[in-house]
Amino acid sequence: MQNQILKLKNEKKAIIIAHYYQDPKIQDIADYVGDSLGMAVFAKKTDAPIAVVCGVKFMAETIKVMNPHKKILLPDPDAGCSLADSCTPAIFNYFKSKYPGAFVMTYVNSSLEIKALSDVIVTSANAVKIAQQMPKDQKIIFGPDQHLGRYVSKQAGRELILFPGNCFVHTSFSAKAMYEIKKQHPEAALIAHPECEDVILSQADFVGSTGQMLCFTQESEYKTFIVMTEAGIMHQMKKNSPNKEFIMGPDLSGCSCNECPHMKLNTLEKIHACLFAETPEVNIAPDLAEKALVPINRMMEMT
Ligand code: 13P
Ligand code: SF4
């Protein structure tokens, strides 16, 4: 199946852009594997007419808005994100209405409708940097992930008004079991994604986007890492540092199986089918695309 996809991809001059949470078999046939920001930047740079986005809907939509003339395919149209879906325009508008005049800083894990209601988009890779650039007296709303928002607020030294959303994958890590693993491996570095709760982040030796976590494992002196994010990232970590040890962070049920079911909806079979038929394609109403592009472009300028 991997060979058939590669053949079809070459025939159609298409590219595959994958997120680190994808199945290793998908990561291995991708032209680019990265975090949300990296995927968007890569898509913008390439001149391939067709891109298969192996990630979730908000990633494919962001890439489409930034590349309106490219055909953007999403192998499974149901690959959503429960964090993004939990923040509906009605709820977000109500939240916004309580803080008139506030600047709206929104995580890329959100729908295009929410992006269109925002002033700037951020990813886990650039959120701190962008928050630091805001005028000191500016009131700022941050949504929809409260844990990333709390982390950004502390790092940037800025008060943020937090929308109360969260990612169930990252909030399913058990702090109690984490302390146990840390005790068993005092030599290990604990690395965490900022969607984790503060009780985890406060114990971390490094916090960053998936791409930044991967870089840290490659560049740091540590030989053992306790990894607090989705399990798919372990593939690149092990591949890039074969002599280092990676321990998956423990979740609440103790099974260490933190997988994002939305990300895992993509399969090799679905990628082949979507490349072959060139569907499902991501299409966005032009007026929505125009509104959502404004805060996305602001993010690119501020990054
Ligand atoms: P990154 O942008 O850090 O890859 O995070 C995306 C995501 O969905 C994390 O849950
Ligand atoms: Fe959304 Fe969480 Fe899955 Fe990331 S891991 S795509 S935030 S549900």
Side-chain angles (χ1 to χ4, degrees):
M1 188 50 81
Q2 284 177 315
N3 287 336
Q4 285 183 43
I5 294 170
L6 291 174
K7 190 165 168 272
L8 201 52
K9 190 168 79 74
N10 286 340
E11 282 166 18
K12 298 197 176 221
K13 298 190 173 24
I15 51 163
I16 296 178
I17 303 174
H19 187 263
Y20 290 122
Y21 296 166
Q22 293 298 291
D23 186 297
K25 291 191 193 82
I26 297 176
Q27 295 188 34
D28 286 346
I29 53 161
D31 297 272
Y32 178 82
V33 187
D35 61 18
S36 310
L37 181 64
M39 290 168 77
V41 170
F42 179 83
K44 187 88 189 138
K45 278 190 200 153
T46 167
D47 48 15
I50 302 177
V52 183
V53 178
C54 298
V56 290
K57 206 165 148 194
F58 75 79
M59 294 171 173
E61 286 176 344
T62 306
I63 289 174
K64 177 66 185 178
V65 166
M66 293 170 73
N67 300 275
H69 303 300
K70 288 178 189 152
K71 188 176 263 190
I72 306 298
L73 304 171
L74 181 65
D76 189 319
D78 292 330
C81 162
S82 36
L83 166 64
D85 294 346
S86 69
C87 182
T88 64
I91 296 172
F92 199 61
N93 259 326
Y94 172 70
F95 188 77
K96 271 182 70 173
S97 72
K98 295 199 289 181
Y99 308 99
F103 186 86
V104 182
M105 190 178 287
T106 300
Y107 192 25
V108 70
N109 295 37
S110 55
S111 69
L112 286 181
E113 285 78 6
I114 298 298
K115 288 185 175 77
L117 294 168
S118 308
D119 296 306
V120 70
I121 304 305
V122 299
T123 78
S124 53
N126 58 20
V128 173
K129 191 174 182 176
I130 291 177
Q132 282 167 338
Q133 294 172 54
M134 297 305 301
K136 283 268 184 283
D137 54 353
Q138 176 66 59
K139 218 192 300 175
I140 307 169
I141 287 176
F142 187 97
D145 190 272
Q146 59 175 300
H147 302 298
L148 172 65
R150 199 166 288 116
Y151 173 74
V152 171
S153 171
K154 281 188 183 170
Q155 293 299 309
R158 299 299 315 267
E159 202 179 313
L160 301 178
I161 303 160
L162 305 178
F163 183 88
N166 64 53
C167 159
F168 73 100
V169 175
H170 287 87
T171 50
S172 74
F173 287 114
S174 158
K176 189 166 173 265
M178 172 195 74
Y179 280 115
E180 279 306 312
I181 293 202
K182 266 174 82 79
K183 240 192 272 168
Q184 287 161 17
H185 296 275
E187 78 290 0
L190 186 102
I191 58 173
H193 193 277
E195 285 175 19
C196 293
E197 290 170 292
D198 191 46
V199 64
I200 305 284
L201 298 181
S202 61
Q203 297 301 311
D205 297 289
F206 180 80
V207 177
S209 74
T210 51
Q212 292 166 340
M213 290 170 80
L214 178 63
C215 271
F216 180 78
T217 61
Q218 287 171 263
E219 289 167 7
S220 92
E221 300 280 302
Y222 284 98
K223 296 275 180 280
T224 310
F225 301 87
I226 303 166
V227 182
M228 310 297 276
T229 190
E230 211 266 4
I233 185 87
M234 302 282 269
H235 180 57
Q236 296 297 330
M237 288 180 175
K238 288 177 182 165
K239 225 168 134 172
N240 291 346
S241 306
N243 298 323
K244 294 186 178 179
E245 191 190 352
F246 299 95
I247 303 162
M248 190 65 223
D251 70 10
L252 291 174
S253 61
C255 72
S256 299
C257 54
N258 301 79
E259 295 217 336
C260 173
H262 311 297
M263 287 277 182
K264 296 304 198 265
L265 281 175
N266 296 318
T267 62
L268 288 177
E269 287 72 18
K270 288 179 197 170
I271 293 168
H272 186 268
C274 102
L275 244 184
F276 183 78
E278 297 186 19
T279 186
E281 183 182 351
V282 179
N283 281 310
I284 294 152
D287 57 333
L288 177 60
E290 196 185 321
K291 283 186 194 142
L293 186 59
V294 176
I296 293 173
N297 279 343
R298 188 167 289 141
M299 166 180 82
M300 289 303 181
E301 283 158 22
M302 293 178 83
T303 300

